[in-house]
Amino acid sequence: MAQKMLQKILIVGNGGREYSIGLRLKKDAQKNRSKDNENLTLFFAPGNAGTKHLGINVALSKNQDLVAFCQKEQIDFVIIGPEAPLVEGLSDELREQGFCVFGPSQKAAQLEGSKAFMKDFVSRHNIPTARYIQTSDKAKAIDFALSLPLPVVIKASGLCAGKGVIIAQTYDEVKQTICDMLSGESFGDSGKCVVIEEFLSGYELSVFGICDGKDFVLLPPCQDHKQLYNNDKGPNTGGMGAYAPTPLCDEALLQDIADLIFEPTLRGMAQEGNPFCGVLFAGIMVVQENNQKKPYLLEFNVRFGDPECEVLMPLLQTPLLEICKAVESQTIKQLPIQFAKEYCVGVVLASHNYPFGHSTPYPITIQSYDENLGEVVFGGVSEDKQGRLLASGGRVMLAVGYAKSLPQARENAYKILEAIEFEGRIYRDDIANKAL
Ligand code: AMP
Ligand code: GLY
């Protein structure tokens, strides 16, 4: 009798992104589109109260504990969700022990871990990006900043959980921000080297490439909604909603993004001995120049974006595990990755004081909803002693709608959202409006 293949997958992380990756793998297995997915067991480290229903949560976060867990459980594949373990070298430690990993090496992860590394890399390879300097010298930073028109963009070089970018509106604010960052006051050591850059005016896109070190395949282009309130008002957040594919990126623009940004990046990283394997996120500003749209690179992330991942996973038709394996075996070009001819809209439900601090955990109720409209994704959720689901802070959940048209997908997302209740929930009601 042929033996069934047992697949044990470990997903590192605890947010909506990791939930949606797990849900994709489960759905692939149910559809039985991939033999590899038979007898799938998912582990999440540490996961959340939602991922518990997709697999087994393990309360581990240190690299050495994760490696030991993989050895003990004989894990077949590890998918690393967030940037911090990548920047700390988890992929390398796992690969050294012979594990298959979806996630770039520590050196390649510098594209996100150090804005200074990223800016120097892209300027060495003539990738379009805002004019900048990077320095730890206060006088140099201020001199360059004062030479730019207002507003001026000031970035802490190290990882700051998406908060290390200040757009200063006056030269007084410019000087104060530079002093606060370089003294370590605002972002600790992450701000002791700063990147000062010119402000680019246009609209933003999130474009993801699945990269195997030499080749890449772009996923449907997305748009995130970073500000807390409608019409892009209020403080920056990790993202309050996303949708894909966005009609604001046509074929020609996507091809330019491939040619001007992804191709030279993959080539340059390989040439410099740091081939990029995993998913590369390019934050793009589309600037109108001489009646043409030109993409400029704002930032790289070395992982799926959150909430972009949650709207990309439902569009994937090729089993996710096959994609991860093609990255590991450097055969991404041979894999015809297919996407549903649909649109997907995800609306974040956050706790009342997101993004400023922690909230009292409030119980969540979810009324039944039509599962043909979309799905619910769990992020900042926990459980009380009775097993009741609680909104434990931050970005709690996502209502994800899909449909053949963008307006319908949007409507479906908001219908699902209406089924979710918890005290103090906040959300934007204009997700995807820019495209309609
Ligand atoms: P980053 O982490 O570098 O992507 O920056 C966070 C956000 O700040 C971006 O999503 C943009 O909205 C904004 N931003 C960053 N750099 C620039 C720039 N040079 N011009 C205009 N906006 C920027
Ligand atoms: N949504 C952007 C990010 O994940 O950083």
Side-chain angles (χ1 to χ4, degrees):
M1 198 174 70
Q3 216 182 346
K4 278 198 173 172
M5 219 195 292
L6 185 70
Q7 289 284 331
K8 288 184 170 182
I9 316 277
L10 172 66
I11 301 172
V12 177
N14 67 353
R17 167 181 49 211
E18 288 74 26
Y19 182 94
S20 73
I21 289 171
L23 187 60
R24 178 72 271 159
L25 291 169
K26 278 274 166 192
K27 287 190 173 181
D28 289 344
Q30 279 156 10
K31 284 190 190 163
N32 206 8
R33 287 193 301 219
S34 155
K35 281 197 247 70
D36 287 345
N37 281 327
E38 280 176 41
N39 293 329
L40 178 77
T41 305
L42 296 180
F43 296 92
F44 294 86
N48 62 47
T51 60
K52 242 177 76 167
H53 300 282
L54 299 174
I56 301 163
N57 287 349
V58 289
L60 301 174
S61 55
K62 285 205 195 103
N63 285 5
Q64 69 192 68
D65 297 339
L66 291 166
V67 175
F69 175 80
C70 291
Q71 284 166 329
K72 183 171 129 265
E73 285 292 338
Q74 302 194 346
I75 295 292
D76 297 295
F77 220 104
V78 184
I79 300 177
I80 303 174
E83 62 278 22
L86 293 166
V87 170
E88 283 158 20
L90 179 58
S91 303
D92 308 79
E93 286 186 44
L94 286 164
R95 287 195 181 105
E96 272 161 30
Q97 300 302 320
F99 292 104
C100 292
V101 185
F102 185 77
S105 68
Q106 182 170 34
K107 283 193 163 160
Q110 290 178 95
L111 284 178
E112 176 167 5
S114 162
K115 286 205 190 286
F117 173 92
M118 177 288 238
K119 290 295 281 191
D120 286 351
F121 173 85
V122 299
S123 64
R124 261 198 312 282
H125 294 279
N126 295 319
I127 294 167
T129 191
R131 272 197 309 138
Y132 77 103
I133 58 161
Q134 61 112 341
T135 180
S136 298
D137 180 318
K138 190 162 79 180
K140 262 196 193 156
I142 291 177
D143 265 3
F144 180 74
L146 297 185
S147 75
L148 296 173
L150 288 170
V152 174
V153 183
I154 303 156
K155 300 182 176 183
S157 178
L159 281 185
C160 300
K163 300 190 187 85
V165 177
I166 306 287
I167 297 177
Q169 304 292 340
T170 66
Y171 289 118
D172 281 341
E173 193 190 344
V174 166
K175 287 187 229 163
Q176 191 62 49
T177 305
I178 290 172
C179 292
D180 290 350
M181 275 196 198
L182 288 177
S183 69
E185 197 173 303
S186 39
F187 299 109
D189 286 347
S190 290
K192 289 194 170 167
C193 174
V194 291
V195 170
I196 313 285
E197 63 182 46
E198 75 180 320
F199 180 83
L200 297 173
S201 182
Y203 65 87
E204 286 183 60
L205 298 174
S206 301
V207 180
F208 294 83
I210 304 284
C211 309
D212 72 2
K214 34 185 219 325
D215 297 312
F216 63 93
V217 175
L218 296 187
L219 302 183
C222 308
Q223 202 170 35
D224 189 9
H225 295 67
K226 289 226 164 86
Q227 287 81 12
L228 186 62
Y229 305 125
N230 286 347
N231 301 315
D232 295 341
K233 297 277 185 320
N236 244 329
T237 71
M240 292 299 288
Y243 67 96
T246 170
L248 298 174
C249 184
D250 59 19
E251 288 282 327
L253 180 55
L254 196 61
Q255 190 61 50
D256 281 349
I257 292 169
D259 296 343
L260 297 173
I261 293 170
F262 280 88
E263 199 281 322
T265 300
L266 272 259
R267 188 163 26 87
M269 290 297 280
Q271 273 167 3
E272 294 180 11
N274 305 319
F276 189 95
C277 300
V279 59
L280 183 65
F281 161 128
I284 307 260
M285 184 71 83
V286 182
V287 178
Q288 197 74 27
E289 276 180 8
N290 308 323
N291 275 333
Q292 288 213 316
K293 288 178 177 175
K294 176 149 186 210
Y296 281 85
L297 181 73
L298 291 180
E299 65 163 339
F300 277 133
N301 290 171
V302 296
R303 44 147 182 115
F304 278 114
D306 191 344
E308 292 95 327
C309 186
E310 290 92 314
V311 298
L312 287 171
M313 288 299 125
L315 296 175
L316 268 188
Q317 290 202 313
T318 306
L320 178 58
L321 201 51
E322 276 184 26
I323 297 174
C324 296
K325 288 185 173 174
V327 168
E328 193 69 359
S329 60
Q330 299 197 304
T331 53
I332 199 74
K333 252 218 161 131
Q334 280 107 280
L335 183 73
I337 302 186
Q338 302 202 316
F339 308 102
K341 296 212 171 356
E342 291 202 348
Y343 293 84
C344 199
V345 176
V347 184
V348 169
L349 287 126
S351 282
H352 66 279
N353 56 5
Y354 179 70
F356 301 111
H358 295 289
S359 323
T360 321
Y362 288 117
I364 301 173
T365 56
I366 308 176
Q367 309 289 337
S368 66
Y369 60 91
D370 180 354
E371 290 185 10
N372 294 314
L373 303 183
E375 61 201 31
V376 166
V377 170
F378 297 90
V381 292
S382 58
E383 266 182 3
D384 65 9
K385 288 206 181 83
Q386 292 80 43
R388 280 185 313 172
L389 193 66
L390 302 177
S392 52
R395 293 181 290 172
V396 175
M397 290 169 76
L398 247 96
V400 177
Y402 20 86
K404 294 274 174 224
S405 75
L406 189 55
Q408 189 61 54
R410 184 181 180 285
E411 200 178 311
N412 291 353
Y414 282 100
K415 267 191 205 149
I416 292 176
L417 183 140
E418 286 311 316
I420 305 167
E421 244 332 311
F422 58 89
E423 197 168 319
R425 64 172 198 175
I426 50 172
Y427 62 89
R428 278 178 62 160
D429 51 29
D430 66 344
I431 302 302
N433 279 10
K434 274 183 218 158
L436 297 177

